[in-house]
Amino acid sequence: MESYTITHKKEFMNKLLKSELFDNFVFREAVMHTAFKSILDGHRNKDFYNTDEQENLSEYLNWGEVRPYIYHIVIGTKSPSYFKIILSTNIAKTTAISNEVDTFFVNITFKNGDIQVNTGVAYKTFTLDKSPEKIWDEKIKQFLFKYDFL
């Protein structure tokens, strides 16, 4: 697990909330502190969809499906005092990196005016081999440098 402090906060937030850059990530959860605390669960509410629509639905929403709603919470008349957004890799991306891992996480936290990005890994079973974690940490580091967020 690695932790990165975003130095170019405005650019990062614009890419996160206004572009498709993060849209292929799976949305797991968001916690927002505005006038009240909101906890948004990334599990798809299958009851919302009709029978035909339910056929090929994933368990979780992806970030692209949720981004417009989060945007309206974050870019309101007053910014949240705190938020945490938990994203993960989809199945294809996960297995392309490692078959030993359930998913790779990206946790984005805004607190006291700072934005932190933390990586994480959910292994399928206990292992002493941390190479998938190191690969993921390096991929996120390269991603953050590529888009000049650090």
Side-chain angles (χ1 to χ4, degrees):
M1 185 177 116
E2 291 290 327
S3 181
Y4 305 97
T5 300
I6 301 300
T7 55
H8 298 104
K9 294 180 264 191
K10 184 176 181 178
E11 292 84 357
F12 180 82
M13 292 304 295
N14 278 334
K15 292 288 188 186
L16 179 66
L17 298 173
K18 294 181 178 179
S19 80
E20 296 176 357
L21 184 62
F22 292 84
D23 283 2
N24 289 327
F25 280 95
V26 175
F27 173 68
R28 295 297 186 117
E29 183 179 83
V31 177
M32 304 283 174
H33 292 193
T34 57
F36 55 91
K37 181 178 176 181
S38 303
I39 301 173
L40 307 171
D41 182 1
H43 283 91
R44 188 178 299 278
N45 177 13
K46 293 196 176 181
D47 292 339
F48 178 74
Y49 303 92
N50 66 41
T51 308
D52 292 337
E53 292 173 318
Q54 287 183 12
E55 240 176 78
N56 295 315
L57 292 177
S58 58
E59 179 181 359
Y60 289 93
L61 297 159
N62 65 41
W63 177 248
E65 294 174 279
V66 177
R67 181 172 42 86
Y69 302 102
I70 302 290
Y71 173 83
H72 285 293
I73 294 171
V74 173
I75 310 295
T77 55
K78 191 172 180 182
S79 296
S81 58
Y82 168 89
F83 68 75
K84 182 173 185 176
I85 298 170
I86 302 171
L87 304 174
S88 70
T89 52
N90 59 38
I91 294 168
K93 182 69 169 178
T94 302
T95 55
I97 298 170
S98 173
N99 289 324
E100 300 170 11
V101 171
D102 270 332
T103 194
F104 294 94
F105 290 100
V106 174
N107 301 320
I108 303 163
T109 307
F110 172 77
K111 182 178 181 181
N112 298 326
D114 291 324
I115 301 172
Q116 291 288 130
V117 173
N118 298 301
T119 60
V121 177
Y123 287 97
K124 292 179 181 178
T125 60
F126 177 77
T127 180
L128 294 174
D129 179 15
K130 300 298 180 193
S131 57
E133 187 172 334
K134 290 176 183 172
I135 292 168
W136 180 241
D137 291 343
E138 187 59 32
K139 283 187 176 295
I140 292 301
K141 183 179 179 181
Q142 289 174 4
F143 174 82
L144 295 172
F145 273 116
K146 177 181 178 179
Y147 291 98
D148 198 29
F149 298 141
L150 299 176

